[in-house]
Amino acid sequence: MKNRINWLDTPSRFGLISRTLHWLMALLFLWQFFSVIVWHTFGRTAFTLWMDKQGSHTTVGFLLFILVIVRALWRGFNIRRSPRSTPNKVNKIAIIGHMTLYLLMFIIPLLALLRAYAGGKGMVVMGIPVLPTTGIEINRITAWVDNMHGPLAWLLLFCIGGHILMAIIHRFILRDANLRPMI
């Protein structure tokens, strides 16, 4: 039997594209939260300024925003082919958890885009203008977004932690094959 790459999902396994999107986003979120935690822990240091000077938080956040849209579209395209679990109460909770993750992964960078627009400074990502500089600041919106972006990001980190914890529980305590389709 030939070994061939399955780009698309199958009922027994997520395809290469789904797995790549999942793990690439996991690495980018790891960097995103690492950089924020380092910033909150050490404040303005040469290292945190270097990280910020690279524009990593904005760049990685925008890239995650694009990837979550691509991932959601790809998931929709593969929905009939993807691995399925037997419907039960636990799976319904898992579905709600995954929907919460997707919603937060979409809303948080959208809020950052709204903040950049309302701040009037525009946004440039990797040299590409994403939002125009208007010079007009809308303080009500920037204040509201500032109050939402951070707390929702910490909620996302908590949900990601729950996602990882459940993967560990499935693998090492329940000893089921739930994790296998994504590895």
Side-chain angles (χ1 to χ4, degrees):
M1 185 166 105
K2 289 183 182 178
N3 271 344
R4 62 181 207 120
I5 297 173
N6 285 326
W7 296 91
L8 301 176
D9 297 350
T10 67
S12 63
R13 184 177 173 96
F14 287 101
L16 182 62
I17 294 173
S18 294
R19 286 180 286 133
T20 300
L21 287 169
H22 177 272
W23 292 108
L24 175 61
M25 288 180 71
L27 287 172
L28 291 173
F29 274 115
L30 180 66
W31 172 257
Q32 200 73 326
F33 284 112
F34 168 75
S35 65
V36 169
I37 289 169
V38 166
W39 183 268
H40 280 287
T41 303
F42 299 106
R44 290 177 69 94
T45 67
F47 181 66
T48 57
L49 289 172
W50 172 82
M51 287 186 343
D52 190 48
K53 189 172 186 171
Q54 306 312 307
S56 69
H57 192 76
T58 299
T59 302
V60 171
F62 187 75
L63 182 56
L64 282 165
F65 183 62
I66 298 300
L67 287 173
V68 77
I69 293 169
V70 168
R71 191 168 171 199
L73 291 171
W74 184 252
R75 178 81 175 123
F77 176 74
N78 276 283
I79 196 76
R80 295 196 196 291
R81 289 191 273 286
S82 297
R84 298 194 197 289
S85 300
T86 308
N88 60 36
K89 187 176 183 178
V90 174
N91 290 344
K92 289 178 184 173
I93 294 169
I95 289 168
I96 291 169
H98 282 98
M99 288 172 53
T100 302
L101 282 168
Y102 272 98
L103 190 62
L104 288 170
M105 288 187 298
F106 181 77
I107 288 173
I108 293 165
L110 186 64
L111 286 171
L113 285 167
L114 181 60
R115 177 175 49 202
Y117 175 77
K121 297 176 186 171
M123 181 183 286
V124 176
V125 176
M126 295 183 281
I128 301 167
V130 174
L131 291 172
T133 301
T134 64
I136 301 168
E137 191 170 341
I138 308 168
N139 292 327
R140 287 178 312 204
I141 294 176
T142 56
W144 179 77
V145 171
D146 283 340
N147 288 329
M148 299 296 292
H149 184 79
L152 287 176
W154 293 117
L155 176 61
L156 175 60
L157 181 60
F158 177 78
C159 291
I160 290 170
H163 182 69
I164 293 168
L165 178 64
M166 289 312 299
I168 290 168
I169 288 171
H170 276 284
R171 174 67 180 101
F172 296 107
I173 295 173
L174 300 176
R175 298 189 186 278
D176 60 23
N178 248 12
L179 192 57
R180 192 173 303 145
M182 191 49 82
I183 294 180

